[in-house]
Amino acid sequence: QVQLVESGGGLVQAGGSLRLSCAASGRTYSLYNMAWYRQPPGKEREFVAFISDIGGRTYYADSVKGRFTIARDKGKNTMYLQMDTLKPEDTAIYYCNAARGQASAFEPLFDSWGQGTQVTVSP
């Protein structure tokens, strides 16, 4: 079992930055690929960024390439999403989860989702 808690969201103006954190508990955390997902208002949850179990491989949705950076610190059991050059369309609730790899389209692994963290980008 791995428990994930998202934090770091907030309200920023377009062009600003935020860093989200995903804190994980459980000794098996390092064995999982991880990913960030988001759910914009009125839309379905979508994939944002992926990082492999050892952090050597990362992938990003086209909509965030060049603006977002995913990273993980296994020593702190924490994953991050650095979001720069934020746009109003980035407004969403952001979630983290373990993830399947590229061949499985980075689908989430855990059945349950946390509360997420709200990111709001004003125009």
Side-chain angles (χ1 to χ4, degrees), residues 18-94:
L18 284 173
R19 170 171 275 197
L20 306 184
S21 296
C22 173
S25 62
R27 64 182 181 86
T28 61
Y29 168 76
S30 64
L31 299 178
Y32 294 104
N33 301 322
M34 300 291 294
W36 286 96
Y37 307 85
R38 68 187 183 187
Q39 185 170 15
K43 298 177 65 177
E44 297 295 320
R45 185 165 51 237
E46 64 188 26
F47 166 76
V48 175
F50 166 95
I51 187 165
S52 63
D53 53 355
I54 61 173
R57 291 177 287 115
T58 59
Y59 299 91
Y60 300 90
D62 288 343
S63 60
V64 306
K65 284 182 179 178
R67 300 188 299 117
F68 290 10
T69 304
I70 189 171
R72 66 192 300 168
D73 184 336
K74 292 184 177 181
K76 298 181 179 179
N77 287 337
T78 304
M79 181 178 63
Y80 305 96
L81 184 67
Q82 177 67 43
M83 306 186 296
D84 298 317
T85 319
L86 283 161
K87 304 175 180 180
E89 49 263 48
D90 295 318
T91 294
I93 303 175
Y94 284 71

Side-chain angles (χ1 to χ4, degrees), residues 12-14 87-88 121-123:
V12 298
Q13 65 180 13
K87 304 175 180 180
V121 184
S122 62

Side-chain angles (χ1 to χ4, degrees), residues 4 11 22 40 47 56-57 88 92 97 101-102 108:
L4 304 173
L11 173 64
C22 173
F47 166 76
R57 291 177 287 115
N97 207 325
Q102 184 175 11

